[in-house]
Amino acid sequence: MNTLLKIIAYFCIGTTPIQIIVVLWGIQVVISSDYGIFSFSNIEFIKNYLTLVIPIVDWFYSWFWNAWLDFVFSLPLILSQSLKAIFSTWLGFWILKKIN
């Protein structure tokens, strides 16, 4: 069980740089375009800048509750990714602290 928890903790901590890069990329897009912080949603980012991920998003819509996915993808990218990065990093360090 401890091994699984360590893998989850290191995954949470290890994905933080990717999330920070996405936040910085989103800030750069907001600065250089007509988008605002609140109008640049996750789905806009995926449709315009990560088109390779669109088949995965379509697969999500075939398996998960569409209203919930609409809500998640409509959240502002910069705010939601920042909070997600903070929470996942905290969770990873918290798990490591609890199992050690």
Side-chain angles (χ1 to χ4, degrees), residues 59-95:
W59 179 79
F60 281 161
Y61 273 101
S62 69
W63 281 93
F64 297 110
W65 188 29
N66 291 348
W68 181 75
L69 287 173
D70 288 339
F71 170 73
V72 170
F73 285 132
S74 69
L75 292 173
L77 175 86
I78 296 170
L79 298 176
S80 64
Q81 287 297 322
S82 297
L83 292 175
K84 190 171 110 177
I86 291 168
F87 179 75
S88 69
T89 305
W90 170 81
L91 180 66
F93 284 123
W94 182 78
I95 291 172

Side-chain angles (χ1 to χ4, degrees), residues 25-100:
W25 191 0
I27 290 171
Q28 186 268 332
V29 169
V30 166
I31 289 172
S32 64
S33 68
D34 292 336
Y35 288 111
I37 292 176
F38 295 109
S39 66
F40 190 51
S41 65
N42 288 309
I43 198 66
E44 289 292 325
F45 179 74
I46 292 170
K47 285 181 180 176
N48 295 328
Y49 298 98
L50 288 177
T51 55
L52 291 172
V53 183
I54 290 176
I56 297 170
V57 171
D58 292 339
W59 179 79
F60 281 161
Y61 273 101
S62 69
W63 281 93
F64 297 110
W65 188 29
N66 291 348
W68 181 75
L69 287 173
D70 288 339
F71 170 73
V72 170
F73 285 132
S74 69
L75 292 173
L77 175 86
I78 296 170
L79 298 176
S80 64
Q81 287 297 322
S82 297
L83 292 175
K84 190 171 110 177
I86 291 168
F87 179 75
S88 69
T89 305
W90 170 81
L91 180 66
F93 284 123
W94 182 78
I95 291 172
L96 286 177
K97 182 181 173 185
K98 287 294 183 183
I99 61 175
N100 287 333

